[in-house]
Amino acid sequence: MIRVIQDKDFDAAVSIWLAASIKAHSFVAAEFWQSQVTNMRDLYLPNSESWVYEDNGQIVGFISYYQGSIPAIFVDPQSQSKGVGTQLLDTVKSKYGKLTLTVYAENRKTHQFYLRHGFIDVGTCICEHTGHKQIEMCWTATSL
């Protein structure tokens, strides 16, 4: 079930974010992600529009939307490759006609995920926090 995030979900969402970030971004020191836990819980999640994917009462993923962009979509590593990310992404795509995001260039698996879901590469930038190259991507709804 996908539903709007609630304050009581923040700790679970942050735990998922941390585990998935460390797994997907082995090229960034785990200490960096750990240093961002408080910001994620107290700043980013409360100020974004977010949804969680709940399975049997347990949150296994979430997605956030902020000013036209998807700053976060994370699925618990044990629940990845089971369609959770696709369903979360489809939820946001059904609400907004244009979405942007960035993905680390070194994170090829996630980049391919976005390409499969209709995003296109539109540029590159350097992450101000890690110094790693990111690919800027965009998705626009098409009328049938």
Side-chain angles (χ1 to χ4, degrees), residues 2 53 75 79-90 113:
I2 295 177
Y53 187 106
V75 176
S79 296
Q80 291 177 0
S81 299
K82 297 179 181 177
V84 174
T86 295
Q87 290 182 56
L88 287 165
L89 189 56
D90 286 348
F113 169 82

Side-chain angles (χ1 to χ4, degrees), residues 61-109:
F62 74 97
I63 189 168
S64 296
Y65 172 88
Y66 181 77
Q67 297 182 350
S69 181
I70 297 174
I73 176 171
F74 291 94
V75 176
D76 182 273
Q78 302 211 353
S79 296
Q80 291 177 0
S81 299
K82 297 179 181 177
V84 174
T86 295
Q87 290 182 56
L88 287 165
L89 189 56
D90 286 348
T91 296
V92 176
K93 286 166 80 175
S94 73
K95 296 176 183 307
Y96 301 99
K98 183 176 181 181
L99 300 167
T100 61
L101 56 83
T102 58
V103 60
Y104 285 107
E106 294 153 286
N107 189 351
R108 290 183 180 92
K109 181 179 177 185

